[in-house]
Amino acid sequence: MDAEELEGFRDFVDNRSSALLRTAVLLSGGDRHAGEDLLQNALVKVAGRWQRIDEPEAYVRRILYRQQVSRWRLKWRRREVSVAEPPEVGAAADAASAAELRLVMREALSRLTARQRTVLVLRYFEDLPEADVARLLGCSVGTVRSTTHRSLARLRVLAPELAAVGRAGAEELPSRDFSPAEVRP
């Protein structure tokens, strides 16, 4: 990689890493450390092919999705989740309710299977159509639909409080945040 390509890669990482990290953390079930590892591995793969990549962000996201698929295809599963710091306490009322919603959602997502979590992140956080999700995951559109349906049903069981929050404050949520009330069953 020459100096110009290296500078282009650094600019890309500086400008897009926070958005890519959010996606990686969501794909990892809310585990920031696993999300950082996922993103770092993807960026290492991209660095070696940087001069041949036309759409770097799409390429990195595809690597993230495929790496996550590979992870959930492994036979073993982690039984505990470690965090660097305990959750913050004492935020303002609005910030507290938003933070509580994020924590409830993160906890509920972490209790889904990796496949269910990946499908929900791609469909509702990344706002991808079913056909694109199917293509990225290497499965049929019907599989995406049935997995989405089962995942949402499981999410409603794991966190029934999300339905009430989604109905009461759906207009307050950013448009790219997932809310079960926004989703057709």
Side-chain angles (χ1 to χ4, degrees), residues 74-148:
L74 294 174
K75 298 291 182 192
W76 62 273
R77 294 186 179 168
R78 286 180 57 181
R79 296 187 189 274
E80 61 184 68
V81 177
S82 59
V83 294
E85 298 176 14
E88 294 180 16
V89 180
D94 290 339
S97 62
E100 183 179 339
L101 177 61
R102 282 193 304 272
L103 290 173
V104 169
M105 180 59 78
R106 181 178 292 164
E107 174 63 26
L109 283 173
S110 71
R111 293 184 356 211
L112 294 175
T113 67
R115 181 182 187 113
Q116 290 173 328
R117 186 173 50 249
T118 302
V119 169
L120 289 180
V121 167
L122 291 174
R123 285 286 290 130
Y124 300 107
F125 180 77
E126 293 294 324
D127 201 24
L128 293 177
E130 292 168 338
D132 290 351
V133 174
R135 184 180 42 77
L136 283 169
L137 299 180
C139 62
S140 70
V141 173
T143 300
V144 171
R145 287 180 184 156
S146 63
T147 302
T148 301

Side-chain angles (χ1 to χ4, degrees), residues 132-177:
D132 290 351
V133 174
R135 184 180 42 77
L136 283 169
L137 299 180
C139 62
S140 70
V141 173
T143 300
V144 171
R145 287 180 184 156
S146 63
T147 302
T148 301
H149 178 74
R150 278 188 243 115
S151 303
L152 290 173
R154 180 78 177 133
L155 196 62
R156 288 182 190 108
V157 169
L158 293 173
E161 62 271 24
L162 289 176
V165 170
R167 281 191 297 275
E171 64 279 352
E172 299 171 11
L173 295 174
S175 62
R176 292 188 53 91
D177 279 357

